Amino acid sequence: MLSRAILTGQTSRALLALGSRTTSTSAANNQSASDAPQSQSKLPRPVRQEPGKVRYAFIPEEWFQFFYKKTGVTGPYAFAFTLSTYLVSKEIYVLEHEYYSGISLLIMWIVGIKKLGPKLAQYLDKEVDAYEAGWQESRNQEKQVLEEQIADEEKGQWSVEGQTLLMQAKRENVALQLEANYRERLLAAYNEVKKRLDYQVEKQNIERRITQRNLIDWVVARVRASITPDQEKQNINRCIADLAGLAKA
Amino acid sequence: MGFGDYPIEYNPNVHGPYDPARFYGKPDTPFGQVKLSELGSWLARRNKHPSAFAGAVSRAYWRWQHKYVQPKRAGIAPFLHVVFGSMAVFYVLNYGKLTRHRNYKYH
């Protein structure tokens, strides 16, 4: 029940207004800015006024302007004079002891204001200027810091773009390394296979040679074993006969 | 509308930041432009609730503040306003005793 009462009607509006008032010095982060951001810029903001014009240090200028339209310049003075004459002569305004102490006080005030006023005004103006300059300086410093941060951020983004270039170059480098490694391995595999094939060829050649020699040895041995002493004798005889025939010729 | 609340007519989305010197209701004819024949009806249209009186006094106070006290290079005028205003107020308060100091019996 209580929460519903808070959420409805005047109270919520007051809360909203309170939220917008607490941050009313800065236009950017306003409570009502989040509610109606598009209308925020058009809303009228109160501006600090110039001090109202006065005569004789405190009587508003509007008082004299009010008389000026009807009576001219001397009107307000004539009015004040005649009214005070009437009040004093009828003793509606009573000139008792406080009146005279008031006059002496007024004289002291006038002298004090005339003597000290300009100096005090000068000093206070200087203080106001210093105060405002201090705020302005901190504002400018804040602005400068934020601008530097923005510049740093932009530079960071730029350097990150450079990082992508660097990354691309690294990728190409790695690809080159991979290619070189691949070719190296390819060559190694080729060499290994060739070595084994050469070995096989050499082995086959040797085996064939050994087999051939063994066969020849075996055949020669058998042939020699098959030759009988008769055959040898016949052969020698035949050789001698051939030699004789050759000698004849 | 309780204590500490904004006026009912005040809407921060329309009026912007709250100005305590401003009247947010529908403005009537200014008092200076009211004709004597319309004075009765003008007075009848006034809101006579105590909170309305308090609001009017508060707005006048803040109008005075904005005009004389709050400006950057305000002069001595607001102090003298307070001095002379309090002089008048206390003169009125003490008027019954001050009349005893009259010098003349017959005018």
Side-chain angles (χ1 to χ4, degrees), chain A residues 31-146:
Chain A
Q31 176 76 40
S32 55
S34 57
D35 297 322
Q38 71 278 8
S39 64
Q40 179 63 28
S41 56
K42 282 179 259 168
L43 292 179
R45 300 188 71 80
V47 281
R48 193 172 214 177
Q49 298 177 14
E50 288 299 310
K53 281 188 178 153
V54 289
R55 291 192 196 177
Y56 307 109
F58 77 102
I59 305 173
E61 181 71 25
E62 286 86 350
W63 176 251
F64 296 94
Q65 291 303 321
F66 172 70
F67 275 95
Y68 180 74
K69 288 173 201 157
K70 271 110 181 163
T71 66
V73 176
T74 54
Y77 304 103
F79 172 75
F81 182 72
T82 50
L83 185 69
S84 55
T85 314
Y86 166 70
L87 292 176
V88 169
S89 72
K90 293 289 178 190
E91 286 210 310
I92 298 168
Y93 183 80
V94 187
L95 300 181
E96 26 73 55
H97 54 284
E98 290 282 8
Y99 171 75
Y100 296 102
S101 76
I103 282 186
S104 56
L105 267 175
L106 189 69
I107 290 168
M108 284 194 272
W109 270 84
I110 288 170
V111 172
I113 289 171
K114 291 278 180 196
K115 287 275 175 193
L116 300 175
K119 285 180 197 166
L120 188 69
Q122 203 179 1
Y123 166 72
L124 289 177
D125 280 355
K126 215 163 67 187
E127 289 285 306
V128 165
D129 286 339
Y131 186 76
E132 197 185 356
W135 279 105
Q136 199 69 29
E137 191 193 346
S138 75
R139 180 170 171 268
N140 284 338
Q141 276 178 356
E142 187 80 7
K143 229 162 119 180
Q144 199 183 343
V145 165
L146 290 174

Side-chain angles (χ1 to χ4, degrees), chain B:
Chain B
M1 194 170 82
F3 282 108
D5 284 350
Y6 286 106
I8 295 167
E9 297 88 0
Y10 171 61
N11 182 1
N13 291 329
V14 177
H15 299 117
Y18 182 67
D19 182 3
R22 185 176 158 189
F23 178 62
Y24 286 100
K26 194 163 167 273
D28 204 340
T29 320
F31 179 69
Q33 296 172 16
V34 176
K35 295 192 176 81
L36 275 179
S37 57
E38 297 163 354
L39 194 60
S41 64
W42 188 87
L43 282 173
R45 267 179 280 141
R46 294 304 95 215
N47 184 0
K48 292 172 197 68
H49 195 268
S51 68
F53 280 101
V57 171
S58 166
R59 285 196 302 276
Y61 171 72
W62 278 107
R63 215 160 48 234
W64 176 76
Q65 280 267 326
H66 286 160
K67 191 164 180 183
Y68 294 106
V69 182
Q70 305 283 354
K72 200 160 116 187
R73 301 192 195 284
I76 199 163
F79 301 98
L80 291 179
H81 285 164
V82 172
V83 167
F84 282 94
S86 53
M87 270 166 64
V89 166
F90 285 104
Y91 194 85
V92 169
L93 285 181
N94 291 317
Y95 194 66
K97 288 165 190 161
L98 290 171
T99 49
R100 305 284 174 196
H101 293 275
R102 278 173 176 166
N103 294 319
Y104 299 100
K105 278 191 173 178
Y106 310 107
H107 282 285

